[in-house]
Every structure is written in structure tokens, then in C-alpha cells.
Amino acid sequence: MEPIGVLKDGQIYDLQTAEALNIQGEDIKADNSSESLEILRHSCAHMMAQAIKELYPEAKFFVGPVVKEGFYYDFKVESKISDEDLPTIEKKMKEIANRKLPIERYETSKEEILTKFANDELKQAVLKNITDDTLTLYKQGDFEDLCRGPHVPNTRMIRAFKLTRVAGAYLGGDEENEMITRIYGIAFFDKKELNDYVRMLEEAKKRDHRKLGTELELFAFNDDVGAGLPLWLPNGARLRSKLEHILYTAHRVRGYEPVRGPELLKSTMWDISGHNANYGKNMYYTTIDEQKYGMKPMNCVGHIQIFKNKLVSYKDLPMKLFEYGVVHRHEMSGAMHGLFRVREFAQDDAHIFCTQAQIKDVIFEVLEFVDTLLKLFDFKYEIEVSTKPKKAIGDDIFWETTTKGIMDALDENNIPYGIDEGGGAFYGPKIDIKILDAIGRKWQCGTVQVDMNLPSRFNAEFINAEGEKEQPVMIHRAILGSFERFIGILTEHCAGEFPFAIAPTQVIFVPIADTHVEYAKELEKELLRDGMDSKIFDMNESLNKRIRMAEKQRVPMIVVIGDEEVENKTVALRDRRKREQSNMTKDEFILMLNEIKKGSRI
């Protein structure tokens, strides 16, 4: 297998760049490794741009990077492009691949490029952010674009690809700029990998939480209310309440104390914390009595004030404070997506104040909590350590020491982890929990962040064993991340077949005739006393149709009630999850449901 690039010091170079810069390193071959796929997908993005240019000669292009889900290109055309146009663009791409065009790299001056693209406002926007005097372009046939690479040598290598969707994007990611068109795509070196991925996409469409959320009447969005502000309908609110209750008990038995901070704090608080300087673009502000206030994007500042509310002894540590804190973040309109990215959400947030010596034990305890909760919902997961981002507070010594401490703690317990370079919070490094769903997708949810910056900024202190004041370490911790996002992920993971303990409706009673409704109501009331929700399907439809309607609601249990059940105080049960039918007494039925519910304690 011939090499298509070179890997040196974690940097990927294509063959032309490696030769031009005299770079020698490890060969990258067309073997579906992450490095080889990055080269292929970047090349496929260019081939897509070439196809668009041939179909829409007026097209102007911004950037076309490789991303986690494949690649995309941002561009502008006079026509409106939709998903229906993707097959036409794919067909043109296949034509270009069959031309077996060499992909050639060449260098030129920035001045020449500025002149060359003088009438191209998108290219001028790209050039604004480039300070180099010498730039590289890549050319294939009649198409060329400003690019650093890497690329495969020839378009004939780009065979297994698919364009997945059309989206809108603000130029440069700034919602003050114009909206342009973005097309996403995916590419592999062999057809089987592509077909597997396409099947996964088709399965993902069936599981789309937005579609299921509508069908199961979980939540809704309303333009009159505002973008990114979900309305929780009764079914969704019941599901969410049950999830909150399971977590509340789990927190309490682990020594966490419930607290609640305000959603609005004086802006001076956000000055001290560093949020105004480092996170201000994502915040909402208002003025009250000529004083500026900021709506909280995180709960940490309120929890620090709660910690400082009384004198704390070392004997009180670790102090664990938790809150289902409602936060607001100014997400861009084009970035919002169902429950996955919203402007208002509630975090299962906790802050643990501890000594330096307690950090490792606290981290292990949090990871045990994570493991127990995710197993309850049948999630596998991976752990990543996220290091210092470009925008950060605190000196290098703090970042190096804290990051090493986290890694040492994981190493000591043989917990495998990856590294996310530059992915830390602005105030400290963190452990990210990335869960894997039923169809193999990876989602960022929980996080554990070690922070000595904020306690220092707010002068948080405790009295140590020597009777002296000492600064605590603050560990930020969320397991679900947010209830909104987690419920969206869980909906897709289980395709709306929620575990019994949190199902919005756990039982549907189907009385055969009106004379059986009273017994159904009696059962409904008994279940409600035990914290379980049920519904009675007594509408004016045939028995079979009502049973089919109940099936479509994806409830765990369906109970049919007739004369025999009313007379003997029994139930005719259909367990949809086990695909079993059985008859039992009313008491046996209620006891069984309570035992299932007890199995969800963590």
C-alpha cells in the first residue's frame, strides 16, 4: 500500500508538502486510520467544491475543514440549495473522480492571492486571518483553492463518499455576518465502510429525538417563545421528573447537599470569576437599578458564595453541593439542534470543595458515580483529559501541575483515557465523559474539572488542622451534563423505549368495555400513589386499534381488562420489553412494578 502522507510530531503532511519542506516521518497509508481519513476527507471536500463550481459557476468558497462527522464546505451561490440537490452534486463528484485529476500544490505570495481573489469577498474574509507572506494553493483540473492541505495525490482515490446534509452557517461563525450555505459529507477508502456509515445514518434518522419527541409528545419548540427554548409537555416533564428524582436520591446517599443559587447575579461577580472576559459572548445581560447583571451560564459562582456563607472547618471537607441549576447561554441560531443545543437548560451540577490531599479520592468517587449511572441506562463510555485552551486564566505552573495530578490519579487506578489538547475549561483542566450510544455515536456529557483559580479569585477559605486559613480546591462536576441534552441522547439511544423507571407512561390500561373502566381507574390511582404513571385508553375505538395505539406510545406495559379481571381483581399483562403475556393478581402486579422500579436505585 503506497503512502499518501507523512506523520511527524502529531502533524499530518501530504506527500507534496513533506517533499517541499523536506519533512521525514512515519508513513500514512490509505488504511482508514484517523490520519489517512483526514487526508481523504479534506480532499473530498475540495472535490465537492469543484463539483459545486462546475454546477454553479458563480459559487464563492469560504473554508472546507475536516470535522468529527466527516467534512463540510461553506460557500455562497445565487441559487437555493437543499438536500434534494445533493444527488446531483454527488454525480458530478463521481465524474471528477473518474477524470483521475492530479491534485497539485503550489506556493505564491499573499499579495498575488489578494489580487487574484479581489472580487471574492469570502476569500478576502479568509485572507484577513492569515499573516503569512507565502501561501499555498491546491489545484485539480480547472479548480483551485487557497489551502494548507493535506490532500491525496489524485482524485481517482476519492471513490467512497456521500453528501449527508445541507445547512446554513454564519460567515466565520459570527451571527453578525451573513448566512451562507454549508454542505456536510463523509468519505472512506472502501465502499463497505461507507455503506456501514450510511446504514448508521438511516438508523439515526429513525431515532431522531426531535421526531420521537413530537410523536411521544415529550417537548416542543415554538418560534413565538424563542429559538432554543424548549417547552416540556406533560409526558416529557414526567420523564424528566423521574430522572431528577433518581439522581436526587443518588446524590443524597453519597453525601451531597442540595442548594440553589440565583439565575441572575451582579456583573461584578462575573468580572471576578473571569466569565465576562472569557465567556461574555455566550452570556445574557440586563440592567437593574442602573446596575449591570448577568444571567448565569454556569452555577459555580453561586456555589462559591454558598460555601463562603459560613466558617468552614477542614472537618467539613469534602463539602459537596449540588443543584439542578437552570443556566442560559447565547448559542448561535445556526448551532441549535433540538435538545442537543439550546439556550436554556438545567445542569445536574455539583461543586465539591476539598483539600489538595482529597482530590484523587473525590475524582475516583465521582467516576464511580458516573459508572453506576451510565450502566443503569446501558451506556458504554470513554474518558478524555482536556488540557489548557488558548483562552485561559491561571499560570502555566498551575495548569501543568493540575493536569499531571489528574492523569496520575487515573493512571494509579488503571483507568484508560485519551487526551483532548486545548479542550479544558478556561479556569482549569478537566476529565470529559463521552458516552457511546446504541448505534456507535459518541456524545460529550459528563465532566469533572479541577479548579484552584475561582476559589483564589473569590478568597474562599477554610480553617485547617493548624487553625489557619487555607484555600480549598474546587471540583466542578456534572454527570449528565444537562437534562435536556441527556434526554435527547437517551431518546435516540433507546429509540423512545425508555427504561421502566423513567418512562413517561409506564402502563396503559385498555378496558374492553365501559363496565371495566372503573377498575382501571382504581389501578391507575394505586400506581400513582407508588410514583408510577399510567393512562386509560377507553376511547371509542375497537379493542385492537386501542392496543395498537398503546404500542405506538412505546410504553413498557399494556394491561387489558375484561370481565374476568374485574371479577377476580387480576390483570392480563402484555410486557412489551420482554414480549411476554401473563395473568396475575392485582397485588402481584403492583409488587412486580415496584420491584422493577427499585432496581433503578443507584
Side-chain angles (χ1 to χ4, degrees):
M1 192 180 290
E2 289 294 316
I4 59 170
V6 170
L7 181 66
K8 184 175 183 181
D9 298 330
Q11 182 71 38
I12 299 170
Y13 302 91
D14 59 32
L15 297 177
Q16 296 178 69
T17 305
E19 183 180 357
L21 302 180
N22 195 26
I23 292 169
Q24 295 183 343
E26 180 187 344
D27 283 348
I28 299 173
K29 297 184 179 180
D31 55 5
N32 281 322
S33 66
S34 59
E35 293 82 10
S36 66
L37 286 176
E38 182 166 337
I39 297 174
L40 176 72
R41 290 169 181 173
H42 193 57
S43 305
C44 196
H46 270 235
M47 195 167 79
M48 178 181 75
Q50 182 177 2
I52 291 168
K53 187 70 175 175
E54 292 186 12
L55 291 167
Y56 307 92
E58 81 283 4
K60 296 176 180 179
F61 297 91
F62 186 55
V63 292
V66 174
V67 290
K68 183 176 66 176
E69 60 267 44
F71 63 84
Y72 69 78
Y73 227 113
D74 287 348
F75 62 96
K76 184 161 71 170
V77 289
E78 293 172 5
S79 310
K80 180 173 174 55
I81 294 181
S82 67
D83 288 346
E84 285 71 37
D85 298 302
L86 297 183
T88 303
I89 299 171
E90 281 183 6
K91 183 179 178 183
K92 178 62 70 173
M93 290 171 69
K94 287 172 184 173
E95 289 177 16
I96 295 168
N98 289 333
R99 293 176 203 163
K100 301 178 181 178
L101 300 171
I103 301 174
E104 300 170 313
R105 172 188 183 274
Y106 68 94
E107 296 181 355
T108 187
S109 68
K110 183 176 180 180
E111 188 177 340
E112 187 175 332
I113 293 291
L114 285 167
T115 304
K116 188 182 190 75
F117 293 104
N119 298 319
D120 188 331
E121 67 277 15
L122 297 195
K123 206 57 68 187
Q124 293 293 327
V126 173
L127 289 164
K128 278 182 186 176
N129 299 316
I130 298 175
T131 56
D132 299 343
D133 292 328
T134 302
L135 307 179
T136 58
L137 290 94
Y138 280 80
K139 180 179 173 66
Q140 53 200 56
D142 294 332
F143 179 80
E144 64 178 3
D145 202 3
L146 186 65
C147 183
R148 290 193 178 96
H151 289 285
V152 296
N154 196 292
T155 62
R156 66 181 170 78
M157 300 186 74
I158 314 169
R159 295 290 183 177
F161 57 83
K162 183 170 183 61
L163 304 184
T164 54
R165 63 189 174 97
V166 178
Y170 291 109
L171 178 62
D174 186 344
E175 62 181 351
E176 298 295 321
N177 292 338
E178 65 176 315
M179 179 80 78
I180 56 178
T181 304
R182 174 177 292 179
I183 294 181
Y184 285 91
I186 192 75
F188 294 92
F189 281 103
D190 64 80
K191 201 77 174 174
K192 181 183 179 303
E193 291 278 346
L194 177 65
N195 290 339
D196 289 346
Y197 186 85
V198 170
R199 276 192 291 272
M200 186 273 288
L201 287 181
E202 290 168 354
E203 181 63 27
K205 282 183 182 178
K206 294 178 194 172
R207 294 168 177 260
D208 190 323
H209 76 283
R210 295 167 298 179
K211 174 175 170 284
L212 291 172
T214 300
E215 289 177 8
L216 301 177
E217 297 182 349
L218 302 177
F219 57 87
F221 289 92
N222 186 317
D223 288 340
D224 292 335
V225 171
L229 302 172
L231 297 165
W232 288 91
L233 308 178
N235 285 348
R238 290 202 303 273
L239 180 153
R240 178 173 175 154
S241 176
K242 289 168 187 172
L243 180 58
E244 289 175 354
H245 184 74
I246 288 171
L247 268 174
Y248 184 91
T249 304
H251 278 90
R252 296 293 289 121
V253 300
R254 287 170 172 78
Y256 289 80
E257 290 288 350
V259 296
R260 183 170 177 82
E263 292 179 35
L264 201 61
L265 287 79
K266 284 185 176 180
S267 190
T268 50
M269 289 283 97
W270 305 115
D271 284 333
I272 295 169
S273 69
H275 282 82
N276 281 341
N278 293 278
Y279 206 78
K281 285 186 177 180
N282 297 87
M283 292 177 63
Y284 296 105
Y285 296 93
T286 188
T287 300
I288 303 172
D289 296 332
E290 299 182 359
Q291 170 74 53
K292 187 178 179 183
Y293 283 74
M295 294 186 77
K296 66 176 179 181
M298 302 172 193
N299 301 292
C300 37
V301 173
H303 289 195
I304 287 179
Q305 300 306 318
I306 291 169
F307 175 84
K308 292 177 62 180
N309 189 56
K310 68 173 186 177
L311 194 63
V312 175
S313 163
Y314 71 97
K315 293 180 181 179
D316 300 318
L317 304 182
M319 181 185 288
K320 306 172 186 177
L321 308 177
F322 84 101
E323 174 184 4
Y324 297 157
V326 176
V327 299
H328 293 81
R329 297 182 184 175
H330 184 200
E331 301 287 357
M332 291 186 297
S333 299
M336 288 182 291
H337 180 82
L339 294 179
F340 290 160
R341 186 159 299 215
V342 289
R343 286 175 172 162
E344 178 190 270
F345 56 93
Q347 296 176 303
D348 64 322
D349 208 1
H351 292 91
I352 303 170
F353 297 87
C354 64
T355 66
Q356 292 267 4
Q358 292 170 332
I359 292 175
K360 288 182 184 178
D361 287 342
V362 169
I363 288 175
F364 297 146
E365 186 183 273
V366 169
L367 292 179
E368 175 276 325
F369 197 169
V370 168
D371 186 70
T372 305
L373 180 63
L374 294 184
K375 279 179 179 173
L376 176 65
F377 297 110
D378 197 29
F379 279 119
K380 295 177 181 176
Y381 64 92
E382 297 173 355
I383 288 175
E384 285 186 356
V385 175
S386 298
T387 62
K388 184 179 181 181
K390 288 181 180 177
K391 216 170 187 181
I393 57 178
D395 58 33
D396 289 340
I397 294 174
F398 155 74
W399 280 90
E400 289 167 12
T401 304
T402 311
T403 305
K404 185 177 185 302
I406 289 173
M407 292 178 179
D408 288 346
L410 294 171
D411 289 337
E412 278 181 30
N413 279 259
N414 299 312
I415 299 173
Y417 59 90
I419 304 293
D420 178 13
E421 293 290 352
F426 71 84
Y427 46 75
K430 59 192 175 96
I431 297 172
D432 285 327
I433 315 299
K434 304 203 170 178
I435 62 178
L436 302 168
D437 70 11
I439 56 175
R441 295 172 300 179
K442 191 184 292 187
W443 304 91
Q444 164 66 48
C445 280
T447 184
V448 187
Q449 304 169 7
V450 180
D451 180 9
M452 285 177 262
N453 272 308
L454 290 185
S456 172
R457 284 173 170 244
F458 284 96
N459 297 315
E461 296 172 328
F462 67 94
I463 305 301
N464 64 22
E466 287 73 42
E468 298 171 344
K469 290 182 178 180
E470 186 177 328
Q471 179 190 304
V473 177
M474 181 181 186
I475 295 180
H476 307 245
R477 186 244 68 187
I479 297 178
L480 304 185
S482 83
F483 285 98
E484 283 75 6
R485 181 173 169 78
F486 184 79
I487 288 171
I489 294 167
L490 183 62
T491 302
E492 299 198 0
H493 175 61
C494 64
E497 299 277 358
F498 296 108
F500 179 86
I502 65 167
T505 303
Q506 288 140 317
V507 182
I508 286 181
F509 296 107
V510 185
I512 294 173
D514 290 346
T515 53
H516 310 133
V517 172
E518 194 59 37
Y519 179 48
K521 287 182 178 178
E522 178 187 324
L523 290 167
E524 180 184 42
K525 194 173 290 185
E526 288 204 39
L527 291 185
L528 199 54
R529 288 195 190 100
D530 287 343
M532 291 178 278
D533 288 291
S534 60
K535 286 183 179 178
I536 300 171
F537 273 26
D538 60 348
M539 58 281 290
N540 189 25
E541 300 285 357
S542 69
L543 176 64
N544 286 338
K545 183 167 184 182
R546 282 182 285 147
I547 290 173
R548 286 197 303 272
M549 291 166 65
E551 291 273 357
K552 287 182 179 178
Q553 290 298 302
R554 294 173 168 82
V555 293
M557 311 281 184
I558 297 173
V559 171
V560 178
I561 297 173
D563 289 338
E564 184 179 335
E565 286 75 31
V566 172
E567 184 178 344
N568 300 319
K569 296 297 180 184
T570 58
V571 296
L573 172 65
R574 301 181 181 209
D575 187 324
R576 288 189 59 257
R577 305 292 161 77
K578 293 182 179 178
R579 300 187 180 279
E580 294 175 355
Q581 296 187 32
S582 58
N583 294 83
M584 60 185 73
T585 67
K586 178 186 79 170
D587 291 341
E588 288 171 339
F589 174 61
I590 292 173
L591 178 63
M592 180 195 74
L593 296 187
N594 274 299
E595 287 299 316
I596 296 171
K597 189 180 166 192
K598 279 181 188 175
S600 297
R601 292 176 181 168
I602 53 174

